[in-house]
Amino acid sequence: MSEPTTLTALLQTLESDGEGPQLSLGEVVAVIGERGYGPLVLMLALIAALPTGAVPGVPSVCGISIALVSMQLVFGKRYPWLPARMRRLAIERQHYARVADRITPWTRRLDRLVRPRLHWFTHGLATRVIGLACVALGLCMIPLEVLPFAAAAPATGIAMMGLGLTGKDGFWVLAGLAPAGLGLWFLFKLFG
């Protein structure tokens, strides 16, 4: 995987490098995909965890995308790939820009908390285990969409793990287990 990067830089790259009225998943993959799985999973999870996740269908699309991308991480594929149909899925660029502008002050604060540490949780076999967890959590987001904002719990866990992979920070990978567990609890309560 590539060198650590910041969440704020990723948000700004997506906002400034795009063309057209919509931001597609294909564009997200093209802009940040080659930086590794962490940034891509992080951005997909944030779309589902933030207010954009209240739009019907968004948590399911993000969950399926996260599962597809993370499965590739499990199998050791070097760069993420999405099918053409999924790459065409898009949200309004203007809506993304509003959300990105609103959360940028928070991402700057968060960027100061991310630093390379507990590296054994972000390298080697651990990344495949993280990928497997993200597959399971991404698939959990699909049925949780029926409850308002319930899919935000596993999405937040995935986002924290993605942040850990992005910044090479094992602390964030471990911290992501708490909201991930909450998401699983929601799922079992809903269907158990």
Side-chain angles (χ1 to χ4, degrees):
M1 289 210 272
S2 61
E3 63 190 41
T5 189
T6 67
L7 183 53
T8 304
L10 291 173
L11 289 173
Q12 291 170 344
T13 299
L14 279 176
E15 193 168 357
S16 64
D17 286 1
E19 297 176 10
Q22 295 191 321
L23 174 65
S24 68
L25 282 178
E27 190 175 338
V28 172
V29 171
V31 170
I32 62 175
E34 289 188 5
R35 297 179 192 197
Y37 287 88
L40 183 56
V41 169
L42 172 62
M43 296 307 284
L44 290 168
L46 283 177
I47 290 169
L50 294 172
T52 51
V55 176
V58 168
S60 292
V61 169
C62 289
I64 292 168
S65 301
I66 288 167
L68 284 173
V69 167
S70 298
M71 187 59 73
Q72 295 170 54
L73 178 60
V74 171
F75 288 113
K77 192 168 183 318
R78 188 173 171 146
Y79 297 113
W81 171 87
L82 287 176
R85 186 173 182 175
M86 293 199 79
R87 287 193 313 263
R88 286 191 298 267
L89 295 172
I91 62 170
E92 293 295 320
R93 189 175 302 281
Q94 188 176 24
H95 184 68
Y96 170 80
R98 281 195 308 269
V99 171
D101 289 343
R102 229 179 296 145
I103 66 170
T104 296
W106 295 98
T107 61
R108 285 193 179 115
R109 291 181 188 114
L110 190 57
D111 288 341
R112 290 192 290 265
L113 300 174
V114 179
R115 62 184 176 277
R117 58 185 157 181
L118 301 174
H119 71 280
W120 54 88
F121 289 114
T122 61
H123 292 84
L125 182 60
T127 60
R128 292 180 185 214
V129 173
I130 293 166
L132 195 57
C134 289
V135 168
L137 292 169
L139 293 176
C140 286
M141 290 167 57
I142 299 165
L144 286 176
E145 185 174 349
V146 298
L147 294 173
F149 295 106
T156 301
I158 294 167
M160 292 170 83
M161 288 186 242
L163 183 63
L165 287 175
T166 301
K168 308 293 185 221
D169 192 339
F171 170 80
W172 284 101
V173 170
L174 291 174
L177 297 176
L182 181 63
L184 291 174
W185 180 81
F186 280 143
L187 186 67
F188 288 123
K189 279 297 200 182
L190 183 64
F191 297 104

